[in-house]
Amino acid sequence: MSRIILGIDPGFAILGWGIIESKDGSRNIENVQWGAILTKSGEPIEERILKVYQELKTIIDLYKPNEIVMEKVFFNNNAKTIIGVAQIQGIVFLLSAIMNLPIFQYTPLQAKSALTGYGVANKQQVQNMLKLVLKLEDFPRPDDAADAVALAFCHLQTKKYL
């Protein structure tokens, strides 16, 4: 049975997403697609949230993932960032519930460890491993999309042992 995983790197200005597929439970993992949902800081908040909701729902309808994986976000002292990302996370949780899709969360450290074997790997190391493991011609862009693909890969690697 094929498993299609939607990875999400939640962000208010840029939401990175990536779809990967594992066929027949094998180690044969294929990249399907990646991208980013962009919103403009000058737009009203409700329009930005609606845009993320609509575009993410379209992605789910198009690729029909079995599971959603979202980055578990930690915050420093930027309250503005906390609120925006929390609002986007709420959209992802809402879509997960509406579409009856299980959702899982992993920290960046977990995603980097699953992909590179090193929890504090830099962006270049993560991108190099994504390119190698998924047999890509180029790196997922923007970086938020690469992070989303790494999260999806982490889930496939971790879920085998749950």
Side-chain angles (χ1 to χ4, degrees), residues 4-154:
I4 300 171
I5 309 298
L6 168 60
I8 297 174
D9 181 17
F12 203 63
I14 303 173
L15 178 143
W17 61 272
I19 302 276
I20 63 173
E21 182 176 6
S22 172
K23 297 187 182 209
D24 301 322
S26 71
R27 291 185 180 261
N28 183 18
I29 299 170
E30 296 179 8
N31 177 66
V32 176
Q33 191 59 267
W34 67 74
I37 299 171
L38 309 174
T39 66
K40 295 180 181 134
S41 62
E43 295 176 335
I45 292 170
E46 63 274 14
E47 288 179 24
R48 294 174 80 183
I49 289 173
L50 180 62
K51 180 179 182 178
V52 170
Y53 175 86
Q54 290 172 332
E55 289 191 28
L56 201 50
K57 184 176 183 314
T58 299
I59 291 164
I60 291 169
D61 288 341
L62 180 64
Y63 295 103
K64 300 182 180 1
N66 306 100
E67 298 160 300
I68 297 174
V69 180
M70 181 168 53
E71 181 177 312
K72 187 182 288 186
V73 182
F74 293 97
F75 300 98
N76 292 328
N77 296 325
N78 190 341
K80 193 173 183 180
T81 301
I82 293 169
I83 292 168
V85 173
Q87 289 169 328
I88 297 305
Q89 286 178 315
I91 295 300
V92 176
F93 283 117
L94 177 64
L95 277 167
S96 169
I98 290 170
M99 311 289 281
N100 197 28
L101 293 169
I103 190 166
F104 301 87
Q105 290 187 282
Y106 299 95
T107 66
L109 185 127
Q110 289 172 304
K112 291 175 183 181
S113 292
L115 187 60
T116 69
Y118 183 54
V120 291
N122 63 38
K123 293 263 185 214
Q124 188 66 44
Q125 291 167 316
V126 169
Q127 290 174 338
N128 285 336
M129 284 303 294
L130 284 174
K131 190 173 176 182
L132 179 69
V133 173
L134 296 174
K135 301 172 185 79
L136 303 174
E137 291 182 22
D138 200 5
F139 305 123
R141 298 273 186 225
D143 289 344
D144 307 82
D147 293 345
V149 175
L151 285 161
F153 180 85
C154 171

